[in-house]
Amino acid sequence: PEMSRGLGDVYKRQMQLRLKFEILNSEFRVHHHRNPIHHIESRLKSTRSMYNKLVQRGFPTSIESAKKNLNDIAGVRVVCCYIDDVYDMEDMLLRQSDVRLIERTDYIKNPNFNGYRSLHLDVELPVYLSSKTEYARAEIQLRTVAMDFWASLEHDLRYKSTKNIPEDISREMFNCADEIAAIDVRMQRIYKQIQKL
């Protein structure tokens, strides 16, 4: 129960990040006459999930410990139209003076073992409270619609399955990830060709 208290600033951090991307999306539209962001999702890690992760890593199980030791209590997923949009959004965000990059993992250029693709950024940003300003961490996932499609279905198939998935099915899922990634590249190429017309 005490883990669920004291999350007000975490919620503010999540809303602040979401607002930053909404503003970047609007700014991009002014300059390029289109929105690079398809949609934005946000979530707060459940107290059970925070508790389990702290125990697994050997940290004290308190909200203060979670804020200090977990980068992904607040999460924002930014789903973009094209691969270039992912990197444009990253660049625009990290140019902001109040955003500090803690860790960057590029699963687009280096897909995960199961075929997962996304750009992960762990960042710190200021949370302005009534009496003080604190820097707090958040996780950002930037991906395309195609990457999001695959990740959503893969999660449903793998993590909601009651049994271990056989190797041949895992291999087929990985192949699907490669095929979807190839389509992602083709769609971006088609978009660029149309822009040149």
Coordinates of all heavy atoms in Angstrom, one line a residue, residues 56-143:
Q56 N 13.6 -8.2 -7.2 CA 14.5 -8.9 -8.1 C 15.9 -8.3 -8.1 O 16.9 -9.0 -8.2 CB 13.8 -8.9 -9.5 CG 14.6 -9.7 -10.5 CD 13.9 -9.5 -11.9 OE1 13.2 -8.6 -12.2 NE2 14.2 -10.5 -12.8
R57 N 15.9 -7.0 -8.0 CA 17.2 -6.3 -8.1 C 17.9 -6.1 -6.8 O 19.0 -5.5 -6.7 CB 17.1 -5.0 -8.8 CG 16.7 -5.1 -10.3 CD 16.6 -3.8 -11.0 NE 16.3 -3.9 -12.4 CZ 16.2 -2.9 -13.3 NH1 16.4 -1.7 -12.8 NH2 16.0 -3.1 -14.5
G58 N 17.2 -6.5 -5.7 CA 17.8 -6.4 -4.4 C 17.7 -5.0 -3.8 O 18.5 -4.7 -2.9
F59 N 16.8 -4.1 -4.2 CA 16.6 -2.8 -3.6 C 15.5 -2.8 -2.6 O 14.6 -3.6 -2.6 CB 16.3 -1.8 -4.8 CG 17.4 -1.6 -5.8 CD1 17.2 -1.9 -7.1 CD2 18.6 -1.1 -5.4 CE1 18.2 -1.7 -8.0 CE2 19.6 -0.9 -6.3 CZ 19.4 -1.2 -7.6
P60 N 15.6 -1.8 -1.7 CA 14.5 -1.7 -0.7 C 13.2 -1.4 -1.5 O 13.1 -0.9 -2.5 CB 14.9 -0.4 0.1 CG 16.3 -0.2 -0.1 CD 16.6 -0.8 -1.5
T61 N 12.1 -1.9 -0.8 CA 10.8 -1.8 -1.5 C 10.0 -0.6 -0.9 O 9.1 -0.8 -0.1 CB 10.0 -3.1 -1.3 OG1 9.9 -3.4 0.1 CG2 10.6 -4.2 -2.0
S62 N 10.4 0.6 -1.4 CA 9.7 1.8 -1.0 C 9.5 2.7 -2.3 O 10.2 2.5 -3.3 CB 10.4 2.6 0.1 OG 11.7 3.1 -0.5
I63 N 8.6 3.6 -2.2 CA 8.4 4.5 -3.4 C 9.7 5.3 -3.6 O 10.0 5.6 -4.8 CB 7.2 5.4 -3.2 CG1 6.8 6.0 -4.5 CG2 7.4 6.5 -2.1 CD1 6.4 5.1 -5.6
E64 N 10.4 5.7 -2.5 CA 11.7 6.5 -2.7 C 12.7 5.6 -3.5 O 13.4 6.1 -4.3 CB 12.2 7.0 -1.4 CG 11.4 8.0 -0.7 CD 10.1 7.5 0.0 OE1 10.1 6.2 0.3 OE2 9.1 8.2 0.1
S65 N 12.8 4.4 -3.1 CA 13.7 3.4 -3.7 C 13.3 3.2 -5.2 O 14.2 3.2 -6.1 CB 13.7 2.1 -3.0 OG 14.5 1.2 -3.7
A66 N 12.0 3.1 -5.5 CA 11.5 2.9 -6.8 C 11.9 4.1 -7.7 O 12.4 4.0 -8.8 CB 10.0 2.7 -6.9
K67 N 11.7 5.3 -7.2 CA 12.0 6.6 -7.9 C 13.5 6.7 -8.2 O 13.9 7.2 -9.2 CB 11.5 7.8 -7.1 CG 10.0 8.0 -7.1 CD 9.7 9.2 -6.3 CE 8.2 9.4 -6.1 NZ 7.9 10.6 -5.2
K68 N 14.3 6.2 -7.2 CA 15.8 6.3 -7.4 C 16.3 5.2 -8.3 O 17.3 5.5 -9.1 CB 16.4 6.2 -6.0 CG 17.9 6.3 -6.0 CD 18.5 6.1 -4.6 CE 20.0 6.1 -4.6 NZ 20.5 5.8 -3.3
N69 N 15.8 4.0 -8.2 CA 16.4 2.8 -8.9 C 15.7 2.3 -10.1 O 16.3 1.5 -10.8 CB 16.5 1.7 -7.9 CG 17.4 2.1 -6.7 OD1 18.6 2.4 -6.9 ND2 16.8 2.0 -5.5
L70 N 14.5 2.8 -10.4 CA 13.8 2.3 -11.6 C 13.6 3.5 -12.6 O 13.1 4.5 -12.2 CB 12.4 1.8 -11.2 CG 12.4 0.6 -10.2 CD1 11.0 0.2 -9.9 CD2 13.2 -0.6 -10.7
N71 N 14.0 3.3 -13.9 CA 13.9 4.3 -14.9 C 12.5 4.3 -15.6 O 12.2 5.2 -16.3 CB 14.9 4.1 -16.0 CG 16.3 4.4 -15.5 OD1 16.5 5.0 -14.5 ND2 17.3 3.9 -16.2
D72 N 11.7 3.2 -15.3 CA 10.5 3.1 -16.1 C 9.2 3.1 -15.3 O 8.2 2.5 -15.7 CB 10.6 1.8 -16.9 CG 10.7 0.5 -16.0 OD1 11.0 0.7 -14.8 OD2 10.5 -0.6 -16.6
I73 N 9.2 3.8 -14.2 CA 7.9 4.0 -13.5 C 6.9 4.7 -14.3 O 5.8 4.3 -14.5 CB 8.1 4.7 -12.1 CG1 9.0 4.0 -11.2 CG2 6.8 5.0 -11.5 CD1 9.4 4.7 -9.9
A74 N 7.4 5.8 -14.9 CA 6.5 6.5 -15.9 C 7.0 6.2 -17.3 O 8.2 6.2 -17.6 CB 6.6 8.0 -15.7
G75 N 6.1 5.8 -18.2 CA 6.5 5.5 -19.5 C 5.6 6.1 -20.6 O 4.4 6.3 -20.3
V76 N 6.3 6.5 -21.6 CA 5.5 7.1 -22.8 C 6.0 6.4 -24.0 O 7.2 6.2 -24.3 CB 5.8 8.6 -22.9 CG1 5.1 9.2 -24.1 CG2 5.3 9.4 -21.7
R77 N 5.0 5.9 -24.8 CA 5.2 5.3 -26.1 C 4.8 6.2 -27.2 O 3.6 6.6 -27.2 CB 4.5 3.9 -26.2 CG 4.8 3.2 -27.5 CD 4.2 1.8 -27.5 NE 4.8 1.0 -26.5 CZ 4.1 0.2 -25.7 NH1 2.8 0.0 -25.8 NH2 4.7 -0.6 -24.8
V78 N 5.7 6.6 -28.0 CA 5.4 7.5 -29.2 C 5.4 6.6 -30.4 O 6.5 6.1 -30.8 CB 6.4 8.6 -29.2 CG1 6.1 9.6 -30.3 CG2 6.4 9.4 -27.9
V79 N 4.3 6.5 -31.1 CA 4.2 5.7 -32.3 C 4.2 6.6 -33.5 O 3.3 7.4 -33.6 CB 2.9 4.8 -32.2 CG1 2.9 3.9 -33.5 CG2 3.0 3.9 -31.0
C80 N 5.2 6.5 -34.3 CA 5.4 7.4 -35.4 C 5.0 6.7 -36.8 O 4.8 5.5 -36.8 CB 6.9 7.8 -35.5 SG 7.4 8.7 -34.1
C81 N 4.9 7.5 -37.8 CA 4.5 7.0 -39.1 C 5.6 6.3 -39.8 O 5.4 5.2 -40.3 CB 3.9 8.1 -40.0 SG 2.4 8.9 -39.3
Y82 N 6.8 6.9 -39.8 CA 7.9 6.3 -40.6 C 9.1 6.2 -39.7 O 9.3 6.9 -38.7 CB 8.2 7.2 -41.8 CG 7.0 7.3 -42.7 CD1 6.2 8.4 -42.7 CD2 6.7 6.2 -43.6 CE1 5.1 8.5 -43.6 CE2 5.6 6.3 -44.4 CZ 4.8 7.5 -44.4 OH 3.7 7.6 -45.2
I83 N 10.1 5.4 -40.1 CA 11.3 5.2 -39.3 C 12.1 6.6 -39.1 O 12.5 6.8 -38.0 CB 12.3 4.2 -40.0 CG1 11.6 2.8 -40.1 CG2 13.6 4.1 -39.3 CD1 12.2 1.8 -41.1
D84 N 12.2 7.4 -40.2 CA 12.9 8.7 -40.0 C 12.2 9.5 -39.0 O 12.9 10.3 -38.3 CB 12.9 9.4 -41.4 CG 13.9 8.8 -42.4 OD1 14.7 8.0 -42.0 OD2 13.9 9.2 -43.5
D85 N 10.9 9.4 -38.8 CA 10.1 10.2 -37.9 C 10.6 9.8 -36.4 O 10.6 10.7 -35.6 CB 8.6 10.0 -38.0 CG 8.1 10.5 -39.3 OD1 8.7 11.4 -39.9 OD2 7.0 10.0 -39.7
V86 N 10.9 8.6 -36.2 CA 11.4 8.1 -34.9 C 12.6 8.9 -34.5 O 12.7 9.5 -33.4 CB 11.6 6.6 -34.9 CG1 12.4 6.2 -33.6 CG2 10.3 5.8 -35.0
Y87 N 13.6 9.0 -35.4 CA 14.8 9.6 -35.1 C 14.7 11.2 -35.1 O 15.4 11.8 -34.4 CB 15.9 9.2 -36.1 CG 16.3 7.7 -35.9 CD1 15.9 6.8 -36.9 CD2 16.9 7.2 -34.8 CE1 16.1 5.4 -36.7 CE2 17.2 5.9 -34.6 CZ 16.8 5.0 -35.6 OH 17.1 3.6 -35.4
D88 N 13.8 11.7 -35.9 CA 13.5 13.1 -35.9 C 12.9 13.5 -34.5 O 13.3 14.5 -33.9 CB 12.5 13.5 -37.0 CG 13.1 13.5 -38.3 OD1 14.4 13.6 -38.5 OD2 12.4 13.5 -39.3
M89 N 12.0 12.7 -34.0 CA 11.4 13.0 -32.7 C 12.4 12.9 -31.6 O 12.5 13.7 -30.7 CB 10.2 12.1 -32.4 CG 9.0 12.3 -33.2 SD 8.2 13.9 -32.8 CE 8.8 14.9 -34.2
E90 N 13.3 11.9 -31.7 CA 14.4 11.8 -30.7 C 15.3 13.0 -30.7 O 15.6 13.6 -29.6 CB 15.3 10.5 -31.0 CG 16.5 10.4 -30.1 CD 17.6 9.5 -30.6 OE1 17.6 9.2 -31.8 OE2 18.3 9.0 -29.8
D91 N 15.7 13.4 -31.9 CA 16.6 14.6 -32.0 C 15.9 15.9 -31.5 O 16.5 16.6 -30.7 CB 16.9 14.8 -33.5 CG 17.9 15.9 -33.7 OD1 19.0 15.9 -33.1 OD2 17.6 16.8 -34.5
M92 N 14.6 16.1 -31.8 CA 13.9 17.3 -31.3 C 13.8 17.2 -29.8 O 13.9 18.3 -29.2 CB 12.6 17.3 -32.0 CG 12.7 17.7 -33.5 SD 11.1 17.5 -34.4 CE 10.2 19.0 -33.8
L93 N 13.5 16.1 -29.2 CA 13.3 16.0 -27.8 C 14.6 16.3 -27.1 O 14.7 17.1 -26.1 CB 12.8 14.6 -27.4 CG 12.6 14.4 -25.9 CD1 11.5 15.2 -25.3 CD2 12.5 12.9 -25.5
L94 N 15.7 15.6 -27.5 CA 17.0 15.7 -26.8 C 17.7 17.1 -27.0 O 18.6 17.4 -26.3 CB 17.9 14.6 -27.2 CG 17.4 13.2 -26.9 CD1 18.5 12.1 -27.3 CD2 17.2 13.1 -25.4
R95 N 17.2 17.9 -28.0 CA 17.7 19.3 -28.1 C 17.1 20.2 -27.0 O 17.6 21.3 -26.8 CB 17.4 19.8 -29.5 CG 18.4 19.5 -30.5 CD 18.2 20.2 -31.8 NE 17.4 19.4 -32.7 CZ 16.5 19.9 -33.5 NH1 16.3 21.2 -33.6 NH2 15.8 19.1 -34.3
Q96 N 16.1 19.7 -26.3 CA 15.5 20.5 -25.3 C 16.4 20.6 -24.0 O 16.9 19.5 -23.6 CB 14.1 20.0 -24.9 CG 13.2 20.2 -26.1 CD 11.8 19.8 -25.7 OE1 11.4 19.5 -24.6 NE2 10.9 19.8 -26.7
S97 N 16.7 21.7 -23.5 CA 17.7 21.9 -22.5 C 17.3 21.2 -21.1 O 18.2 20.9 -20.3 CB 18.0 23.4 -22.2 OG 16.8 24.0 -21.8
D98 N 16.0 21.0 -20.9 CA 15.6 20.4 -19.6 C 15.5 18.9 -19.7 O 15.1 18.3 -18.7 CB 14.3 21.0 -19.2 CG 13.2 20.8 -20.1 OD1 13.4 20.4 -21.3 OD2 12.0 20.9 -19.7
V99 N 15.9 18.3 -20.8 CA 15.8 16.8 -20.9 C 17.3 16.3 -20.9 O 18.1 16.7 -21.7 CB 15.1 16.4 -22.2 CG1 15.1 14.9 -22.4 CG2 13.7 16.9 -22.3
R100 N 17.5 15.4 -19.9 CA 18.8 14.7 -19.8 C 18.7 13.3 -20.2 O 17.9 12.5 -19.7 CB 19.4 14.8 -18.4 CG 19.5 16.2 -17.8 CD 19.9 16.1 -16.4 NE 20.0 17.3 -15.7 CZ 20.1 17.5 -14.4 NH1 20.2 16.5 -13.6 NH2 20.2 18.7 -13.9
L101 N 19.6 12.9 -21.2 CA 19.6 11.5 -21.6 C 20.4 10.6 -20.6 O 21.5 11.0 -20.3 CB 20.2 11.3 -23.0 CG 20.3 9.9 -23.6 CD1 18.9 9.3 -23.8 CD2 21.0 9.9 -24.9
I102 N 19.8 9.6 -20.1 CA 20.5 8.7 -19.2 C 21.0 7.5 -19.9 O 22.2 7.0 -19.8 CB 19.6 8.2 -18.0 CG1 19.0 9.4 -17.3 CG2 20.3 7.3 -17.1 CD1 20.0 10.3 -16.6
E103 N 20.1 6.9 -20.7 CA 20.5 5.7 -21.5 C 19.7 5.6 -22.8 O 18.6 6.0 -22.8 CB 20.3 4.4 -20.6 CG 20.8 3.1 -21.3 CD 20.6 1.9 -20.4 OE1 20.3 2.1 -19.2 OE2 20.8 0.8 -20.9
R104 N 20.4 5.1 -23.8 CA 19.7 5.0 -25.1 C 20.0 3.6 -25.7 O 21.1 3.1 -25.7 CB 20.3 6.0 -26.1 CG 19.8 5.9 -27.5 CD 20.6 6.9 -28.4 NE 20.0 7.1 -29.7 CZ 20.2 6.4 -30.8 NH1 21.1 5.4 -30.7 NH2 19.7 6.7 -31.9
T105 N 18.9 2.9 -26.1 CA 19.1 1.5 -26.6 C 18.3 1.5 -27.9 O 17.1 1.7 -27.9 CB 18.5 0.5 -25.7 OG1 19.1 0.6 -24.4 CG2 18.8 -0.9 -26.2
D106 N 19.0 1.3 -29.0 CA 18.4 1.3 -30.3 C 18.1 -0.1 -30.8 O 19.0 -0.8 -31.4 CB 19.3 2.1 -31.3 CG 18.6 2.3 -32.7 OD1 17.6 1.7 -32.9 OD2 19.0 3.2 -33.4
Y107 N 16.9 -0.6 -30.6 CA 16.5 -1.9 -31.1 C 16.0 -1.9 -32.5 O 15.5 -2.9 -33.0 CB 15.4 -2.5 -30.2 CG 15.8 -2.8 -28.8 CD1 15.3 -2.1 -27.7 CD2 16.7 -3.8 -28.5 CE1 15.7 -2.4 -26.4 CE2 17.1 -4.1 -27.2 CZ 16.6 -3.4 -26.2 OH 17.0 -3.7 -24.9
I108 N 16.0 -0.7 -33.1 CA 15.6 -0.6 -34.5 C 16.9 -1.0 -35.4 O 16.8 -1.9 -36.2 CB 15.2 0.8 -34.9 CG1 13.9 1.2 -34.1 CG2 14.9 0.9 -36.4 CD1 13.5 2.6 -34.3
K109 N 18.0 -0.4 -35.1 CA 19.2 -0.8 -35.8 C 19.8 -2.1 -35.3 O 20.5 -2.8 -36.1 CB 20.2 0.3 -35.7 CG 19.8 1.6 -36.4 CD 20.8 2.7 -36.3 CE 20.3 3.9 -37.1 NZ 21.0 5.1 -36.9
N110 N 19.5 -2.5 -34.1 CA 20.0 -3.7 -33.5 C 18.8 -4.4 -32.8 O 18.6 -4.3 -31.6 CB 21.1 -3.4 -32.5 CG 22.3 -2.7 -33.1 OD1 23.0 -3.2 -33.9 ND2 22.4 -1.5 -32.6
P111 N 18.0 -5.1 -33.6 CA 16.8 -5.8 -33.0 C 17.1 -6.7 -31.9 O 18.2 -7.3 -31.9 CB 16.2 -6.5 -34.2 CG 16.7 -5.9 -35.4 CD 18.1 -5.4 -35.0
N112 N 16.2 -6.8 -31.0 CA 16.3 -7.7 -29.8 C 16.3 -9.2 -30.4 O 16.0 -9.4 -31.5 CB 15.1 -7.5 -28.9 CG 15.5 -7.9 -27.5 OD1 16.5 -8.5 -27.2 ND2 14.6 -7.5 -26.5
F113 N 16.7 -10.1 -29.5 CA 16.8 -11.5 -29.9 C 15.5 -12.1 -30.5 O 15.5 -13.0 -31.3 CB 17.2 -12.4 -28.6 CG 16.1 -12.5 -27.6 CD1 15.2 -13.6 -27.6 CD2 15.9 -11.5 -26.7 CE1 14.2 -13.7 -26.7 CE2 14.9 -11.6 -25.7 CZ 14.0 -12.7 -25.8
N114 N 14.3 -11.5 -30.1 CA 13.1 -12.1 -30.6 C 12.5 -11.3 -31.8 O 11.4 -11.6 -32.3 CB 12.0 -12.1 -29.5 CG 11.7 -10.7 -28.9 OD1 12.4 -9.7 -29.3 ND2 10.7 -10.5 -28.1
G115 N 13.3 -10.3 -32.3 CA 12.8 -9.5 -33.4 C 12.2 -8.2 -33.1 O 11.9 -7.4 -33.9
Y116 N 12.1 -7.9 -31.8 CA 11.5 -6.6 -31.3 C 12.3 -5.4 -31.8 O 13.6 -5.4 -31.7 CB 11.5 -6.7 -29.7 CG 11.1 -5.4 -29.1 CD1 9.8 -5.0 -29.0 CD2 12.1 -4.5 -28.6 CE1 9.4 -3.8 -28.4 CE2 11.7 -3.3 -28.0 CZ 10.4 -3.0 -27.9 OH 10.0 -1.8 -27.3
R117 N 11.6 -4.4 -32.2 CA 12.3 -3.2 -32.7 C 11.6 -2.0 -32.1 O 10.4 -1.9 -32.1 CB 12.2 -3.1 -34.2 CG 13.0 -4.0 -35.0 CD 12.7 -4.1 -36.5 NE 13.6 -4.8 -37.3 CZ 13.7 -6.1 -37.4 NH1 12.8 -6.9 -36.8 NH2 14.6 -6.7 -38.2
S118 N 12.4 -1.1 -31.6 CA 12.0 0.2 -31.0 C 13.2 0.9 -30.5 O 14.3 0.4 -30.4 CB 11.1 -0.2 -29.8 OG 10.4 1.0 -29.3
L119 N 13.1 2.2 -30.3 CA 14.1 3.1 -29.8 C 13.8 3.4 -28.4 O 12.7 4.0 -28.2 CB 14.3 4.3 -30.6 CG 15.4 5.3 -30.1 CD1 16.8 4.7 -30.1 CD2 15.3 6.6 -31.0
H120 N 14.6 3.0 -27.4 CA 14.3 3.3 -26.0 C 15.2 4.4 -25.5 O 16.4 4.3 -25.7 CB 14.5 2.0 -25.2 CG 13.5 1.0 -25.3 ND1 13.2 0.0 -24.4 CD2 12.7 0.7 -26.4 CE1 12.2 -0.8 -24.8 NE2 11.9 -0.4 -26.0
L121 N 14.6 5.4 -24.8 CA 15.4 6.4 -24.2 C 15.0 6.5 -22.8 O 13.8 6.6 -22.4 CB 15.0 7.8 -24.9 CG 15.2 7.9 -26.4 CD1 14.7 9.3 -26.9 CD2 16.7 7.7 -26.8
D122 N 15.9 6.4 -21.9 CA 15.7 6.7 -20.5 C 16.2 8.1 -20.2 O 17.4 8.4 -20.5 CB 16.5 5.7 -19.5 CG 15.9 4.3 -19.6 OD1 14.8 4.2 -20.0 OD2 16.6 3.4 -19.2
V123 N 15.3 9.0 -19.7 CA 15.6 10.4 -19.6 C 15.3 10.9 -18.2 O 14.6 10.2 -17.4 CB 14.9 11.2 -20.6 CG1 15.2 10.9 -22.0 CG2 13.4 11.2 -20.4
E124 N 15.9 12.0 -17.8 CA 15.6 12.7 -16.6 C 15.0 14.1 -17.1 O 15.5 14.7 -18.0 CB 16.8 13.0 -15.8 CG 17.2 11.8 -14.8 CD 18.3 12.2 -13.9 OE1 19.0 13.2 -14.1 OE2 18.4 11.5 -12.8
L125 N 14.0 14.5 -16.4 CA 13.5 15.8 -16.7 C 13.0 16.4 -15.4 O 12.6 15.7 -14.4 CB 12.4 15.8 -17.7 CG 11.1 15.0 -17.5 CD1 10.0 15.5 -18.4 CD2 11.3 13.5 -17.8
P126 N 12.9 17.8 -15.3 CA 12.5 18.4 -14.1 C 11.0 18.3 -13.9 O 10.2 18.3 -14.8 CB 12.8 19.9 -14.3 CG 12.9 20.0 -15.8 CD 13.3 18.7 -16.4
V127 N 10.6 18.0 -12.6 CA 9.2 18.0 -12.2 C 9.1 19.2 -11.3 O 9.7 19.3 -10.2 CB 8.8 16.7 -11.5 CG1 7.4 16.8 -11.0 CG2 9.0 15.6 -12.5
Y128 N 8.3 20.2 -11.7 CA 8.1 21.4 -10.9 C 7.0 21.2 -9.8 O 5.8 21.2 -10.2 CB 7.8 22.6 -11.8 CG 8.9 22.8 -12.8 CD1 8.7 22.4 -14.2 CD2 10.1 23.3 -12.5 CE1 9.7 22.5 -15.1 CE2 11.1 23.5 -13.5 CZ 10.9 23.1 -14.8 OH 11.9 23.2 -15.7
L129 N 7.4 21.1 -8.6 CA 6.5 20.9 -7.5 C 6.2 22.3 -6.9 O 6.9 23.3 -7.2 CB 7.0 19.9 -6.5 CG 7.4 18.6 -7.1 CD1 8.1 17.7 -6.0 CD2 6.1 17.8 -7.6
S130 N 5.3 22.4 -6.0 CA 5.0 23.7 -5.4 C 6.1 24.3 -4.6 O 6.3 25.5 -4.6 CB 3.7 23.6 -4.5 OG 3.9 22.6 -3.5
S131 N 6.9 23.4 -4.0 CA 8.0 24.0 -3.1 C 9.4 23.8 -3.6 O 10.4 24.3 -3.1 CB 7.9 23.3 -1.7 OG 8.0 21.9 -1.8
K132 N 9.5 22.9 -4.7 CA 10.9 22.6 -5.2 C 10.8 22.0 -6.6 O 9.7 21.7 -7.1 CB 11.6 21.7 -4.3 CG 10.9 20.3 -4.1 CD 11.6 19.4 -3.1 CE 10.8 18.2 -2.9 NZ 11.4 17.2 -2.0
T133 N 11.9 21.9 -7.2 CA 12.1 21.2 -8.5 C 12.9 20.0 -8.3 O 14.0 20.0 -7.8 CB 12.7 22.2 -9.6 OG1 11.9 23.3 -9.7 CG2 12.9 21.5 -10.9
E134 N 12.4 18.9 -8.8 CA 13.1 17.6 -8.7 C 13.4 17.1 -10.1 O 12.5 17.2 -11.0 CB 12.3 16.5 -7.9 CG 12.2 16.8 -6.5 CD 11.4 15.7 -5.8 OE1 10.9 14.8 -6.5 OE2 11.3 15.8 -4.5
Y135 N 14.5 16.4 -10.4 CA 14.7 15.7 -11.6 C 14.3 14.3 -11.4 O 14.6 13.6 -10.4 CB 16.2 15.7 -12.0 CG 16.5 16.9 -13.0 CD1 16.7 18.1 -12.5 CD2 16.4 16.7 -14.4 CE1 16.9 19.2 -13.3 CE2 16.7 17.8 -15.2 CZ 16.9 19.0 -14.7 OH 17.1 20.1 -15.6
A136 N 13.5 13.8 -12.3 CA 12.9 12.4 -12.2 C 13.1 11.7 -13.5 O 13.2 12.3 -14.6 CB 11.4 12.5 -11.8
R137 N 13.1 10.4 -13.5 CA 13.4 9.6 -14.6 C 12.1 9.0 -15.3 O 11.1 8.8 -14.6 CB 14.3 8.4 -14.3 CG 15.7 8.8 -13.8 CD 16.6 7.7 -13.5 NE 17.9 8.2 -13.1 CZ 19.0 7.4 -13.0 NH1 18.9 6.1 -13.2 NH2 20.1 7.9 -12.7
A138 N 12.2 8.8 -16.6 CA 11.1 8.2 -17.3 C 11.6 7.5 -18.5 O 12.8 7.7 -19.0 CB 10.1 9.3 -17.8
E139 N 10.9 6.5 -19.0 CA 11.3 5.7 -20.2 C 10.4 6.1 -21.3 O 9.2 6.3 -21.2 CB 11.1 4.2 -19.9 CG 11.4 3.4 -21.1 CD 11.1 1.9 -20.9 OE1 9.9 1.6 -20.8 OE2 12.0 1.1 -20.9
I140 N 11.1 6.3 -22.5 CA 10.4 6.7 -23.7 C 10.6 5.6 -24.7 O 11.8 5.2 -24.9 CB 10.8 8.0 -24.3 CG1 10.6 9.1 -23.3 CG2 10.1 8.3 -25.6 CD1 11.4 10.4 -23.6
Q141 N 9.6 5.1 -25.3 CA 9.7 4.1 -26.4 C 9.2 4.8 -27.7 O 8.1 5.3 -27.7 CB 8.9 2.9 -26.2 CG 9.3 2.0 -25.0 CD 8.4 0.9 -24.8 OE1 7.4 0.7 -25.4 NE2 8.7 0.1 -23.8
L142 N 10.1 4.9 -28.7 CA 9.7 5.5 -30.0 C 9.8 4.4 -31.0 O 10.7 3.6 -31.1 CB 10.7 6.6 -30.4 CG 10.7 7.8 -29.5 CD1 12.1 8.4 -29.3 CD2 9.8 8.9 -30.2
R143 N 8.7 4.2 -31.8 CA 8.6 3.2 -32.8 C 7.6 3.6 -33.9 O 6.9 4.5 -33.7 CB 8.2 1.8 -32.1 CG 6.8 1.9 -31.4 CD 6.3 0.6 -30.9 NE 7.1 0.1 -29.8 CZ 6.7 -0.7 -28.9 NH1 5.4 -1.1 -28.9 NH2 7.4 -1.2 -27.9

